[in-house]
Amino acid sequence: MSRIDTSIAINAPIEKCYKTLMHFEEYPRFISNLRSIRRKGDRDVWQWQLSRGSEEPLAWDVELDGSKHQHHIISWHTVRDSDVAHSGAITLQSRNGNRTELRLVVEYTPYTLVSPAEKDIEQRIKQCLQSFKMHIEQGAAIGQASLPETWEKM
């Protein structure tokens, strides 16, 4: 498994960051090629769909691990047999009341990456965090980032 551990400071209170992050359906507003995120059934399982140009969208299911601790931690893992296999956690820490440090740790199985632009997954994730920062600080999805479009099952 590969691991990404990155963080970003956001000029917003922790409650606003947490509330925004828990609205998964809104992620396509700041991740451009993310087609949709929808709740599946009555469990805490969410299906993510990623646009891949002319190819069929890539879809995978994510289950929250129940570690939503007082606006501080959101953790998840992909459901068995997903085309994308990863787990991760977002940890939020308040800094001086109106600032939040967001730390993202993701462990994932390396994928067959077709496009040279897809090779730096960590850079893409950092761009997504920057887009989230701009989204929450400015109230709009300025400069949307995109997730790797050509992830394939190994």
Side-chain angles (χ1 to χ4, degrees):
M1 284 228 143
S2 294
R3 180 182 172 100
I4 296 171
D5 187 340
T6 188
S7 61
I8 191 167
I10 300 169
N11 293 316
I14 193 170
E15 295 82 10
K16 182 177 181 182
C17 293
Y18 180 82
K19 185 177 179 181
T20 303
L21 286 167
M22 289 303 294
H23 285 276
F24 304 114
E25 302 93 337
E26 297 294 318
Y27 284 24
R29 294 185 68 179
F30 52 88
I31 302 174
S32 64
N33 62 334
L34 187 57
R35 179 183 262 184
S36 67
I37 300 177
R38 301 182 197 284
R39 185 181 209 122
K40 290 184 70 175
D42 47 346
R43 293 184 11 211
D44 224 350
V45 175
W46 300 80
Q47 182 180 66
W48 291 53
Q49 282 197 353
L50 189 70
S51 296
R52 298 192 302 163
S54 61
E55 297 180 47
E56 286 292 315
L58 180 64
W60 66 92
D61 294 339
V62 170
E63 182 173 22
L64 294 182
D65 292 329
S67 57
K68 300 175 269 186
H69 300 290
Q70 302 174 348
H71 307 294
H72 293 97
I73 300 172
I74 304 167
S75 63
W76 67 90
H77 64 275
T78 48
V79 176
R80 188 173 167 205
D81 298 327
S82 288
D83 287 342
V84 175
H86 72 276
S87 62
I90 294 173
T91 305
L92 302 171
Q93 289 189 321
S94 183
R95 301 286 187 230
N96 300 325
N98 285 328
R99 286 183 53 105
T100 302
E101 182 179 324
L102 183 154
R103 180 178 179 209
L104 173 66
V105 177
V106 178
E107 291 187 349
Y108 64 97
T109 301
Y111 306 99
T112 303
L113 302 174
V114 178
S115 165
E118 307 294 332
K119 290 187 178 180
D120 194 351
I121 294 172
E122 184 168 8
Q123 184 59 36
R124 291 281 186 130
I125 288 176
K126 286 179 179 181
Q127 289 171 348
C128 290
L129 289 179
Q130 186 64 36
S131 290
F132 173 73
K133 174 184 171 74
M134 291 179 359
H135 172 78
I136 201 162
E137 289 179 356
Q138 299 174 13
I142 300 167
Q144 290 183 330
S146 61
L147 292 172
E149 296 174 359
T150 55
W151 285 354
E152 296 178 6
K153 193 171 184 176
M154 288 180 56

